[in-house]
Amino acid sequence: MKVVKDITAVQQISEFYRCTGKKVALVPTMGFLHEGHTSLMLRAKQENDILIVSIFVNPTQFGKGEDFDKYPRDIVRDFHICEKSGADYIFNPEAEEMYGKDHFTKVTLSNVTEKLEGDFRPGHFDGVATVVTKLLNIAKPHRIYLGQKDAQQNAVLKRMISDLNIDTELIICETIREENGLARSSRNTFLTSEQKDKASVLFHVLKEGEKMITREKITDTEIIYEKVKNIIKEKSPDFQLQYYKITDNNSLEEIRDLNGYTGEILISLACKVGSTRLIDNIIFTK
Ligand code: PAF
């Protein structure tokens, strides 16, 4: 496994493999890797010849007052995890290499970026779309692998890849969870063990929503929202639920009446647990 910090070198490496008919995969990450990332790397390696993992805490996707400085980092541990998971190359640039002294270009999407997270993290998806466009132009992968936990990010990137005719296939892999259902996330490191235990309520209310729709055949989403709010109030009164929304998985449009709805349903939530903000979701059909 080689660690590369230089954009041109990665472009040349990828070009070389593409010319020799090899399939190149990219797993983009912000580091502090966990089992979710490992599962992406293992799958990417299994389905492709060459695996490039990018590790870059992208400053442009963090808003003012967010946790960019505090974001957990442990690059040496990350290198070991990547090596064990079959990575061939790690792209680990400095911010200056990625953005230079000045950077005038931004990739901005409307609509899908404005809902859910959009209300709480304005500008976040501009940063994500911009850095992922850059990573795709740098690593030139045939396939890019991302976890389902960031459902809106996936919807945004799917749309961006389609709208801009980018020749990369986006593969979304299932969310890896702790035993109690908590979705694995680099930010879980900020939780105390008590908060981690109590955070099992988040997956519980997602499953509860699914159950109410698929088994109890409830079609009025207000009934579900009410029940979920009460469960959280009762089990974890100190949690601050920022949103819990039932939407179409592609357009992210809210579904208020599920009567006759046949598409993929995304229930997603964001919740502040102490000073840590967690997101999670579940995707299913009726
Ligand atoms: O999901 C992440 O870790 C980041 O948003 C990504 C895709 C690596 C872009 O910085």
Side-chain angles (χ1 to χ4, degrees), residues 27-31 37 54 56-58 61 71 124 127-128 131-132 135 144 146 150 153 157:
V27 173
T29 81
M30 297 208 298
H37 297 111
S54 63
F56 178 61
V57 187
N58 173 37
Q61 68 188 76
Y71 197 83
H124 166 67
V128 171
V131 81
V132 172
L135 290 169
I144 175 176
L146 290 164
D150 295 288
Q153 171 171 282
L157 295 177

Side-chain angles (χ1 to χ4, degrees), residues 77-89:
R77 182 174 154 273
D78 287 347
F79 289 168
H80 286 304
I81 294 174
C82 290
E83 185 141 49
K84 274 204 274 172
S85 310
D88 298 289
Y89 295 92

Side-chain angles (χ1 to χ4, degrees), residues 6-276:
D6 181 82
I7 290 173
T8 317
V10 180
Q11 285 172 323
Q12 285 168 355
I13 289 164
S14 181
E15 197 54 39
F16 168 78
Y17 287 113
R18 290 181 72 101
C19 285
T20 54
K22 303 280 192 220
K23 289 280 182 230
V24 178
L26 172 69
V27 173
T29 81
M30 297 208 298
F32 210 72
L33 305 176
H34 51 73
E35 284 79 353
H37 297 111
T38 309
S39 76
L40 299 180
M41 290 190 262
L42 292 174
R43 175 156 172 207
K45 185 60 186 191
Q46 200 182 0
E47 295 177 355
N48 301 275
D49 301 300
I50 298 297
L51 170 57
I52 303 174
V53 178
S54 63
I55 301 178
F56 178 61
V57 187
N58 173 37
T60 66
Q61 68 188 76
F62 290 80
K64 278 203 185 90
E66 290 189 352
D67 56 355
F68 173 71
D69 290 328
K70 233 179 75 184
Y71 197 83
R73 293 160 170 90
D74 189 342
I75 198 71
V76 175
R77 182 174 154 273
D78 287 347
F79 289 168
H80 286 304
I81 294 174
C82 290
E83 185 141 49
K84 274 204 274 172
S85 310
D88 298 289
Y89 295 92
I90 294 180
F91 175 49
N92 176 222
E94 298 300 326
E96 170 125 6
E97 175 71 1
M98 283 299 271
Y99 290 107
K101 283 201 173 45
D102 44 26
H103 196 275
F104 298 144
T105 307
K106 216 193 237 183
V107 179
T108 301
L109 286 86
S110 53
N111 198 305
V112 276
T113 53
E114 287 153 17
K115 306 146 187 188
L116 306 171
E117 290 292 289
D119 286 334
F120 295 88
R121 304 190 70 188
H124 166 67
F125 290 114
D126 290 355
V128 171
T130 303
V131 81
V132 172
T133 303
K134 289 166 76 70
L135 290 169
L136 294 176
N137 284 328
I138 294 165
K140 305 183 207 183
H142 294 93
R143 301 192 183 105
I144 175 176
Y145 291 77
L146 290 164
Q148 191 198 300
K149 187 178 77 74
D150 295 288
Q152 187 172 9
Q153 171 171 282
N154 295 336
V156 168
L157 295 177
K158 209 195 287 176
R159 192 70 216 204
M160 180 188 88
I161 285 172
S162 157
D163 285 355
L164 299 182
N165 311 103
I166 297 175
D167 189 14
T168 298
E169 189 185 353
L170 168 58
I171 315 263
I172 296 164
C173 307
E174 70 169 304
T175 302
I176 304 297
R177 299 180 179 281
E178 307 275 357
E179 251 171 55
N180 72 356
L182 174 65
R184 302 263 178 172
S185 161
S186 305
R187 289 188 171 97
N188 291 354
T189 190
F190 298 133
L191 301 175
T192 62
S193 54
E194 194 200 338
Q195 286 174 327
K196 255 191 201 161
D197 286 348
K198 281 168 91 185
S200 62
V201 73
L202 302 180
F203 189 49
H204 171 71
V205 291
L206 291 170
K207 293 295 282 178
E208 189 61 29
E210 181 188 20
K211 189 179 86 186
M212 290 175 84
I213 294 168
T214 55
R215 286 206 243 145
E216 296 167 20
K217 306 289 175 206
I218 290 173
T219 53
D220 179 354
T221 53
E222 278 308 322
I223 298 176
I224 302 169
Y225 294 154
E226 213 36 54
K227 170 128 192 222
V228 162
K229 269 190 232 150
N230 287 334
I231 296 176
I232 293 190
K233 220 187 268 169
E234 190 191 310
K235 294 198 179 223
S236 305
D238 49 331
F239 284 15
Q240 253 179 281
L241 185 65
Q242 292 190 326
Y243 64 82
Y244 176 102
K245 285 239 165 91
I246 301 172
T247 61
D248 174 87
N249 186 36
N250 283 310
S251 67
L252 306 184
E253 286 303 335
E254 191 166 356
I255 312 166
R256 291 184 190 280
D257 180 3
L258 287 149
N259 239 326
Y261 180 81
T262 54
E264 259 186 335
I265 299 169
L266 164 71
I267 307 185
S268 52
L269 62 79
C271 188
K272 285 284 284 274
V273 176
S275 57
T276 308

